[in-house]
Amino acid sequence: MISGRTEEEVYAAVDLPWIPPELREDRGEIELAEHGRLPKLIELSDMRGDLHMHTTATDGAATIAEMVEAAKARGLKYIAITDHSKRVSMANGLDATRLRAH
């Protein structure tokens, strides 16, 4: 029986480096791990921007100004505000008048 207190210990017991859950898809990750060739996963620090953000004008939790400040504080280089159109009425979608004012 193989066991361990952590996943890393279980992998070490079978002479493998730990394989992140995102890579566990039965697509050759065991062989890649055996040869030290697992791909590097994207980390939060790799992010440069956000291309899908909703403001309080629709179903978001912050204003444009708050979102800009938060993005700057996180070191992001760009953002895209993607508030809903009027077609998405359950998310308080913007009609032409509200969009112009926004």
Side-chain angles (χ1 to χ4, degrees), residues 20 41 51 71 73 77 92:
L41 294 176
L51 295 176
K77 304 296 182 204
N92 196 28

Side-chain angles (χ1 to χ4, degrees), residues 1-16:
M1 183 157 142
I2 298 172
S3 64
R5 288 181 302 120
T6 66
E7 285 189 349
E8 290 84 348
E9 289 178 3
V10 173
Y11 276 82
V14 294
D15 294 321
L16 281 174

Side-chain angles (χ1 to χ4, degrees), residues 19 22-33 38-39:
I19 300 172
E22 297 88 345
L23 297 176
R24 300 177 198 165
E25 295 185 342
D26 192 23
R27 301 176 119 199
E29 63 272 10
I30 303 243
E31 294 78 12
L32 290 171
L38 286 172

Side-chain angles (χ1 to χ4, degrees), residues 54-64 67 81 83-85 88 91-95 98-99 101-102:
H54 297 183
T55 70
T56 52
T58 61
D59 61 344
T63 66
I64 291 176
M67 294 174 101
I81 303 299
D83 281 323
H84 294 287
S85 69
V88 188
N92 196 28
L94 297 168
D95 61 21
R98 287 180 58 226
L99 178 59
H102 183 48

Side-chain angles (χ1 to χ4, degrees), residues 31-75:
E31 294 78 12
L32 290 171
E34 288 174 329
H35 294 87
R37 300 187 65 214
L38 286 172
K40 181 181 180 288
L41 294 176
I42 295 171
E43 298 179 10
L44 191 56
S45 61
D46 296 320
M47 301 301 292
R48 298 290 172 251
D50 190 331
L51 295 176
H52 189 151
M53 303 174 79
H54 297 183
T55 70
T56 52
T58 61
D59 61 344
T63 66
I64 291 176
E66 291 167 335
M67 294 174 101
V68 167
E69 289 308 311
K72 285 180 182 178
R74 289 183 177 99

